Amino acid sequence: MHVDGSVSGNAEMGMSGVSGPDTVAAWARVKRRLRAELGEDVFASWFARLELVEVLDGTARLTVPTRFLKSWIESHYLDRVLTTFRSEVETVSRLDVSVRGPSAAARPVPSAPKTASSAASPLARLQAAGSAMPSHGDAMSLTDGESAQAPRGEAGGDLNGAPLDNRLTFASFVVGRSNALAHAAAERVARHDGQGALYNPLYFHAGVGLGKTHLLHGIGHAARESGRRVIYLTADRFMYGFVNALKTQNALAFKERLRAIDLLILDDVQFIQGKSIQAEFGHTINALIDAGRQVVVASDRPPTELEALEERVRSRLAGGLVVEIGSLDEQLRASILSARLAAVQVSHPNFEVSPTVATYVARAITANGRDLEGAVNRLLAHATLTGTAVTMETAETAIRDLVKNREPKRIKIEDIQKLVASRYNVSRSDILSERRTAAVVKPRQIAMYLSKVLTLRSLPEIGRRFGGRDHTTVLHAVRKIDKLIGEDNVLNDEVELLKRMLQD
């Protein structure tokens, strides 16, 4: 399939002026812009393994590893990719996406070196596994930097958990006001030696880099030390295990293995996709809880907002202890930074950061703990590569990108729906329902309009988030509200107020 650009004549223009290093650089810029515009989660899910093969006669040939990715990109993002590519290379007028084989004759054009942040998401890795599932015993890379065997046992019926990181223990976790409750609950669950389970399930939710995964690993380490049978799974591990069990006709062995443990720890539950996989996830959670086995789950949102899951599964997840890990205050950031600096100084005893510089870094970087670790790595690189002391000036230069180039606030469609519903005295369920009364239709259309204006979601995706509506319904709402706010100053003021409230 290919998509033509809107400017006629470009298809006849050759690409001789963009080849070799120029092509590589242009494609690298395209991928960087897609990551910045769409966000890391969307980019990692759909574009991390989109590769450029060649640009010839105005057509950019792209490849992906699976038919699923090809279909999804063509249906939802091809116009955006084409527009972004043309902004870098004006003579590109068409995109042609194909599925590359395991030994494709055409080698993709090298792109920029991969970083940890550009790793494929759990969903993308599952799609790759689903299109070309390895036979029993084949090795499969499940997480970056980790080589693991495919599930063993009778034709893959067994299930191996992901390895626990030895660095992520309760001893290395820095406790502050925003995470004290989560830490206390995690320790109680991990060290519980009585009958039954505590706070079942225990559910953590927080943004990126606030300590969810650290606590999960800490629970796993402590529970194993007490002799309990523990499996720690990322969402992609769970999905891979289930898909492989179905493929090898050993789903029963997979279920029995998973339900014969004492403690299940599942990370990034928001990435679980697919109706049959979600159903099995729900059955597993129910079976473990009903049997008095402990379940610990982490996600980037509360269970009530996991709209991909069935209502009964969300209700079961919400029925235990749900703990939000809040943002890091300055005191906690300073403590995390101090702990990280102390750890680095063990292997680099000559590396010193003055209290003044440390205070500046803790105040300047407010997003999450991962940015603080990135700041320490930058300061260490400066000190070791230049052989000079870390000063305030060098610190400002080293962490400039972490301070200035932070992504703007990402607005969720769920947040838009809740705010609009509250503003117009209706419920969110009314907005998602089939009701067509004027009191519901107007806020529903405003919420659809704001979802299109304030998020990067496509019209079909917005329609699905509004009770499974067609994209044409969303388009009609967007056009109608856009027309009305140009004619009605009161409505225009209302919509602008909602925008400000969502963006602040």
Side-chain angles (χ1 to χ4, degrees):
M1 177 177 177
H2 67 266
V3 170
D4 292 319
S6 58
V7 180
S8 61
N10 280 354
E12 287 73 33
M13 298 178 64
M15 289 300 298
S16 57
V18 181
S19 60
D22 290 338
T23 306
V24 175
W27 179 240
R29 290 194 299 272
V30 169
K31 295 189 83 170
R32 283 197 299 270
R33 287 185 57 179
L34 288 172
R35 177 184 282 113
E37 293 171 3
L38 298 174
E40 189 59 45
D41 290 344
V42 172
F43 179 87
S45 294
W46 309 117
F47 300 102
R49 293 177 299 162
L50 178 66
E51 300 291 354
L52 175 67
V53 176
E54 64 178 356
V55 179
L56 183 65
D57 295 330
T59 299
R61 288 187 54 220
L62 307 173
T63 66
V64 291
T66 71
R67 289 187 297 274
F68 181 90
L69 278 177
K70 175 180 182 294
S71 175
W72 187 271
I73 291 173
E74 287 176 342
S75 300
H76 297 85
Y77 293 109
L78 209 58
D79 288 338
R80 179 183 285 273
V81 176
L82 177 61
T83 300
T84 306
F85 211 141
R86 290 189 61 192
S87 68
E88 295 291 340
V89 183
E90 293 182 358
T91 47
V92 169
S93 59
R94 281 203 306 270
L95 298 181
D96 182 28
V97 182
S98 60
V99 180
R100 56 180 176 267
S103 57
R107 300 295 297 172
V109 175
S111 59
K114 288 185 179 180
T115 63
S117 62
S118 65
S121 73
L123 176 57
R125 287 197 289 266
L126 176 66
Q127 290 149 2
S131 68
M133 189 67 69
S135 61
H136 172 56
D138 289 345
M140 177 181 179
S141 177
L142 296 178
T143 56
D144 292 323
E146 169 197 331
S147 178
Q149 293 294 321
R152 299 189 299 272
E154 295 182 8
D158 200 359
L159 177 67
N160 292 325
L164 295 174
D165 191 328
N166 291 330
R167 299 169 301 173
L168 304 181
T169 65
F170 287 140
S172 62
F173 188 83
V174 181
V175 182
R177 189 166 49 187
S178 62
N179 59 26
L181 176 60
H183 176 262
E187 280 208 314
R188 285 286 301 276
V189 164
R191 306 189 193 285
H192 178 63
D193 57 1
Q195 294 297 317
L198 286 174
Y199 321 126
N200 211 11
L202 176 59
Y203 187 106
F204 298 123
H205 67 96
V208 174
L210 297 181
K212 301 187 304 294
T213 298
H214 193 146
L215 284 178
L216 296 188
H217 282 251
I219 291 172
H221 284 302
R224 283 180 179 173
E225 288 171 3
S226 65
R228 296 163 75 185
R229 295 168 297 177
V230 179
I231 286 186
Y232 167 76
L233 292 171
T234 53
D236 59 326
R237 281 270 190 169
F238 180 86
M239 293 188 291
Y240 174 83
F242 184 65
V243 170
N244 193 51
L246 291 176
K247 182 180 177 66
T248 56
Q249 298 182 348
N250 278 277
L252 182 60
F254 171 86
K255 296 175 184 179
E256 290 177 349
R257 163 69 171 137
L258 193 56
R259 297 174 188 181
I261 59 176
D262 298 315
L263 171 60
L264 172 65
I265 304 173
L266 186 63
D267 202 359
D268 289 327
V269 69
Q270 74 272 9
F271 288 125
I272 291 182
Q273 304 286 335
K275 185 170 292 185
S276 61
I277 295 175
Q278 291 171 356
E280 178 54 33
F281 170 71
H283 294 326
T284 299
I285 294 295
N286 286 332
L288 287 171
I289 294 176
D290 290 344
R293 311 292 171 80
Q294 181 70 58
V295 176
V296 181
V297 179
S299 175
D300 66 351
R301 67 201 71 173
T304 54
E305 294 183 12
L306 294 172
E307 296 195 345
L309 295 179
E310 295 180 359
E311 173 61 31
R312 60 188 180 86
V313 180
R314 281 181 278 158
S315 176
R316 195 69 192 254
L317 292 174
L321 177 61
V322 178
V323 183
E324 179 179 10
I325 303 175
S327 58
L328 311 177
D329 57 40
E330 185 177 332
Q331 182 178 353
L332 181 53
R333 296 197 303 272
S335 299
I336 293 172
L337 185 63
S338 177
R340 180 57 185 157
L341 288 171
V344 169
Q345 286 167 347
V346 172
S347 54
H348 298 83
N350 295 326
F351 174 58
E352 293 184 2
V353 175
S354 70
T356 302
V357 171
T359 299
Y360 162 72
V361 173
R363 287 178 177 172
I365 297 177
T366 60
N368 57 63
R370 292 179 187 172
D371 283 355
L372 290 172
E373 184 164 350
V376 173
N377 291 335
R378 284 162 171 75
L379 297 178
L380 177 63
H382 171 84
T384 55
L385 295 176
T386 66
T388 59
V390 176
T391 64
M392 182 66 75
E393 183 179 357
T394 57
E396 290 175 347
T397 302
I399 68 171
R400 183 179 300 153
D401 63 314
L402 296 174
V403 176
K404 290 188 176 180
N405 295 333
R406 246 179 257 134
E407 289 186 6
K409 178 183 177 182
R410 292 186 189 175
I411 300 171
K412 298 178 182 178
I413 291 178
E414 293 83 358
D415 295 335
I416 294 173
Q417 293 168 342
K418 290 176 182 176
L419 179 62
V420 172
S422 173
R423 189 75 179 174
Y424 287 92
N425 295 318
V426 296
S427 67
R428 182 165 172 259
S429 60
D430 287 334
I431 289 180
L432 302 181
S433 72
E434 296 296 327
R435 292 181 57 191
R436 298 180 181 276
T437 61
V440 174
V441 170
K442 179 182 177 182
R444 179 187 296 140
Q445 291 180 334
I446 290 175
M448 288 180 176
Y449 171 81
L450 291 172
S451 297
K452 183 66 179 75
V453 171
L454 299 179
T455 77
L456 296 172
R457 301 294 184 183
S458 64
L459 293 177
E461 175 65 15
I462 294 172
R464 283 192 291 274
R465 298 293 188 89
F466 279 82
R469 287 175 164 79
D470 189 80
H471 75 279
T472 56
T473 303
V474 181
L475 181 60
H476 170 73
V478 171
R479 288 175 173 172
K480 181 174 182 179
I481 297 301
D482 190 47
K483 179 175 182 293
L484 289 176
I485 61 177
E487 302 170 349
D488 186 344
N489 289 334
V490 175
L491 179 62
N492 180 66
D493 291 343
E494 287 180 6
V495 172
E496 288 300 316
L497 175 61
L498 290 169
K499 283 183 184 179
R500 288 196 299 272
M501 293 173 69
L502 289 163
Q503 290 170 333
D504 287 345

